[in-house]
Amino acid sequence: MEIIRIPQIMQDITRTYIMHNKTIGFVPTMGALHEGHLSLVKMARAENEITVVSIYVNPTQFGPAEDLSQYPRNIEGDTEKLTGEGVDILFLPVGSLMYPDAFSTRVEVEGLSRRLCGLYRPGHFSGVATVVTKLFNLVRPVRAYFGQKDFQQTVIIKQMVKDLDMGIDIVVCPTIREEDGLAMSSRNLYLTREQRAAAAIIYKCLTEASEAMKSGIIKVAELKELMGKRLASESLVSEIQYCSAYNPDTLDELEQIGNETLLAIALKIGETRLIDNILVAAGQ
Amino acid sequence: MEIIRIPQIMQDITRTYIMHNKTIGFVPTMGALHEGHLSLVKMARAENEITVVSIYVNPTQFGPAEDLSQYPRNIEGDTEKLTGEGVDILFLPVGSLMYPDAFSTRVEVEGLSRRLCGLYRPGHFSGVATVVTKLFNLVRPVRAYFGQKDFQQTVIIKQMVKDLDMGIDIVVCPTIREEDGLAMSSRNLYLTREQRAAAAIIYKCLTEASEAMKSGIIKVAELKELMGKRLASESLVSEIQYCSAYNPDTLDELEQIGNETLLAIALKIGETRLIDNILVAAGQ
């Protein structure tokens, strides 16, 4: 596995691959890799001739009160895992080359970025859209892989790719879960043992809501009450940011469940913010 | 010359060129082509294997009170001129395919877009940055050509290309002028014969200011007064929007002239907005 740190060199290598007609699959990450990331890597490997993984903890997608400085980093462990997966290139861009002094461009996906997590993390999705645009321009993939856990991110990136004619196939892969259902996330490392046990409530709540839908509840107000009560039963949940049923395309909150419904939750356990979601098809 | 109207087809053709290692030179225009545009095309032809010209009157860079509907259009004449220049592809994108219904992405170059013309045309440069990003993604040029007449536009696009790692060489070509010095512009077509004669004042004012600099004036306040008086001497000038000396990199107004100074003017003659500029090097 080759490790590249200079954006310009990454772009030169990409250009050579493209000239040789190689398909590039790309997995952008912030490191602290877990089985969720590795499932994306495996998919990229299976579908493309060249697999590029980036690790970059992008400062512009963190708010001033967020966890940028504490965000877990484990480059050695990550490198080992990616070598094991047969990744061709690990792109580890130098921060000062990503955002030099006069940097002043922003990519904004309006509307979608203001919903759900966007309400609690102003500027977050603009930071994501901007860095992903940069990474896409450097890596020039045919396909890029994202986890469904960050559902809103996948919707926003798909919209951006379409709007800006990037010509990249965005592949959304299933959320990988721990045995008790907790969605894998680098931020799970923040949790104490007690908090970690309590966090299982999120997926339980989602699956119960899905069951309730199958048993005939169609009013989202009812569903929401049920979910809210379930989450409130866990005393370590310190804040519920959102918890409801949404249109998976527009991310609008629904009044009645639709053909395909996104059930999504964002909450805090202690100081740790966790998100999860499931998609439920009507009649499932 | 091939005429392409479907963005997706343009992108497929581009991909084939890139795979065959052909360098693409790109001249984005809004049509109503004059000698200024054709000088860009000639340069693109000279420096690249394939030349692509786009004609697209981009609605998102016009303000609600601006001249979108009256903007001059002459596709037949334009096509003839471009065929004469040996252009390979004329890209004439269908509007509804450029901005379909759910379109919601915006590229913003902060700071630079708020200066000079940006103060009088809010949203204009965001519209330009967004459509140029789309066109660049569809055409994937090695080099793109812009006229110096739209100086601020060239500064903004260079910054965007650098910030977003687009890997495109932005080539700025000299302003082409009429015999009396008026910078060629599609908007000159709006002028009556009298207004057209009066418009020569802009370049006269710029050259006189440049002479004044050479004769030793270094305070921009003095230069500005001199320029303002000269413009005021032409009764058909209905509004002066800006007229001063600027840092050509940051577009900040100067207090004293620098090593390289941008003299720039925006004014209205009747309802027609005209802009022009010259770069003056110290000691020239």
Side-chain angles (χ1 to χ4, degrees), chain A residues 15-276:
Chain A
R15 211 163 264 156
T16 310
Y17 281 133
I18 291 173
M19 263 161 40
H20 289 84
N21 211 356
K22 299 277 188 200
T23 55
I24 300 173
F26 178 44
V27 183
T29 81
M30 299 211 300
L33 302 178
H34 51 64
E35 285 301 318
H37 298 110
L38 299 184
S39 75
L40 305 179
V41 173
K42 285 184 217 304
M43 188 72 96
R45 279 267 292 156
E47 295 186 341
N48 305 277
E49 289 162 290
I50 301 292
T51 301
V52 179
V53 176
S54 66
I55 297 182
Y56 181 55
V57 182
N58 171 43
T60 71
Q61 70 194 68
F62 288 79
E66 290 184 358
D67 55 344
L68 172 60
S69 62
Q70 302 103 291
Y71 196 85
R73 286 160 170 90
N74 180 10
I75 289 298
E76 265 186 50
D78 290 349
T79 305
E80 206 170 299
K81 284 175 187 164
L82 295 175
T83 306
E85 293 295 338
V87 165
D88 298 285
I89 295 181
L90 168 57
F91 180 40
L92 273 176
V94 176
S96 62
L97 298 177
M98 289 294 273
Y99 299 110
D101 274 350
F103 191 94
S104 51
T105 304
R106 197 161 50 83
V107 180
E108 184 83 54
V109 181
E110 289 168 339
L112 291 171
S113 297
R114 304 265 176 274
R115 290 176 172 66
L116 300 171
C117 292
L119 294 171
Y120 298 91
R121 307 187 70 187
H124 170 67
F125 287 115
S126 176
V128 169
T130 305
V131 79
V132 169
T133 297
K134 285 172 67 70
L135 292 169
F136 282 178
N137 281 334
L138 293 168
V139 176
R140 290 282 154 92
V142 171
R143 299 177 194 86
Y145 298 80
F146 294 87
Q148 190 197 313
K149 201 211 83 185
D150 300 309
F151 191 88
Q152 185 173 12
Q153 173 173 275
T154 67
V155 175
I156 288 170
I157 288 172
K158 278 186 198 166
Q159 185 72 43
M160 173 186 84
V161 164
K162 189 175 166 231
D163 286 351
L164 298 183
D165 301 302
M166 291 180 176
I168 297 168
D169 202 4
I170 301 302
V171 184
V172 180
C173 301
T175 303
I176 306 296
R177 302 180 177 283
E178 305 285 354
E179 272 191 25
D180 63 356
L182 178 65
M184 290 206 186
S185 164
S186 307
R187 290 191 169 93
N188 294 349
L189 295 168
Y190 296 148
L191 302 170
T192 64
R193 183 187 284 207
E194 264 196 314
Q195 290 174 330
R196 169 62 195 80
I201 190 80
I202 305 170
Y203 186 62
K204 276 199 197 89
C205 177
L206 289 170
T207 48
E208 284 175 16
S210 159
E211 294 299 326
M213 282 168 62
K214 285 170 204 162
S215 76
I217 292 188
I218 57 163
K219 281 196 182 157
V220 170
E222 274 180 68
L223 211 56
K224 208 171 158 178
E225 205 193 324
L226 192 135
M227 291 169 82
K229 274 188 185 154
R230 190 70 174 100
L231 295 179
S233 75
E234 173 49 67
S235 64
L236 292 182
V237 171
S238 51
E239 179 190 346
I240 299 171
Q241 295 191 339
Y242 59 80
C243 160
S244 191
Y246 305 89
N247 177 320
D249 298 319
T250 63
L251 304 181
D252 287 328
E253 190 168 0
L254 297 170
E255 288 191 17
Q256 289 209 357
I257 61 165
N259 274 335
E260 203 177 34
T261 300
L262 174 72
L263 296 174
I265 293 175
L267 54 72
K268 282 188 169 182
I269 292 189
E271 286 305 301
T272 302
R273 188 174 182 278
L274 299 171
I275 61 174
D276 199 359

Side-chain angles (χ1 to χ4, degrees), chain B residues 69-84:
Chain B
S69 62
Q70 302 103 288
Y71 196 84
R73 286 159 170 90
N74 179 11
I75 289 297
E76 265 185 50
D78 291 348
T79 306
E80 208 169 299
K81 285 174 187 166
L82 295 175
T83 306

